[in-house]
Amino acid sequence: MALSLKPECFKYNYKNVVAIGNLSSRKGFDNLLKVFSRLKNENIILHILGDGKDKDLLLQTKELLGLKKVIFHGRQENPYQYLKYADLFVLSSRYEGFPNVLLEAGACGTYSLANNCPGGINEIIQHNVNGEIANIENYDGFAQQIVTVLQSNYNRDAIKNSIKSRFSKNIILDKYEKVLLDLIQP
């Protein structure tokens, strides 16, 4: 595996927040931009990775809101370097199937703040261990929670262990095996 270097766009005197996903309504980046409009005076940069049909609309919203510290990076071959060095990962989705990106952030040791939406988030987030869940449509409250999280110190090893202990390949395969055995041996 190639050595993951800190992205050059991560400034040392800023906190770096990362969001990843398809630039479509379902992923809620419009709400995330509204949250970041409340954080203009903070030393926080939002890095959005991904591409999609709403890209132009989101770029217009960024300009309208005057968000100088929001960077759209497009789709990245190696999103893990962003996740590994991020101070926080934000999941802004309106709904999810099963948000693998939360597992990926946790596996990188990065704390997550996720919108309280349907789709497996409660199974992944262990409150105050690997992340928190909040309502992103409360823009002021979500913005304040970002600031609070960024002022805290989280144990990156504990975050990794919280994911590994519940979602590693062996554990998941054992669970599948048990379900399949129960199906064929009633």
Side-chain angles (χ1 to χ4, degrees), residues 5 10 19 39 44-45 50 52 55 81 85 89 95 117 122 144-145 147 149 156 161-162 172:
L5 298 172
F10 277 27
L39 298 170
I44 303 171
I45 300 174
K55 183 178 183 181
Q81 66 175 348
Y85 290 101
F89 173 74
Y95 59 92
C117 73
N122 290 313
Q144 189 50 56
Q145 200 150 357
V147 170
V149 168
R156 292 183 90 86
N161 290 336
S162 124
I172 296 301

Side-chain angles (χ1 to χ4, degrees), residues 64-151:
L64 263 167
L65 295 172
L67 301 176
K68 307 241 185 297
K69 292 180 273 192
V70 173
I71 305 169
F72 285 86
H73 293 280
R75 194 174 176 287
Q76 295 295 307
E77 280 305 305
N78 180 11
Y80 301 107
Q81 66 175 348
Y82 290 88
L83 285 174
K84 179 179 177 183
Y85 290 101
D87 297 294
L88 175 66
F89 173 74
V90 173
L91 183 81
S92 55
S93 299
R94 289 182 163 85
Y95 59 92
E96 277 290 341
F98 186 81
N100 284 316
V101 70
L102 278 181
L103 296 178
E104 292 164 352
C108 290
T110 299
Y111 199 79
S112 294
L113 179 57
N115 181 34
N116 189 11
C117 73
I121 287 154
N122 290 313
E123 284 86 29
I124 299 171
I125 296 288
Q126 289 183 309
H127 187 69
N128 284 344
V129 176
N130 68 341
E132 296 170 27
I133 300 171
N135 179 5
I136 199 167
E137 289 182 13
N138 172 356
Y139 307 128
D140 293 321
F142 203 89
Q144 189 50 56
Q145 200 150 357
I146 288 173
V147 170
T148 302
V149 168
L150 290 174
Q151 289 169 345

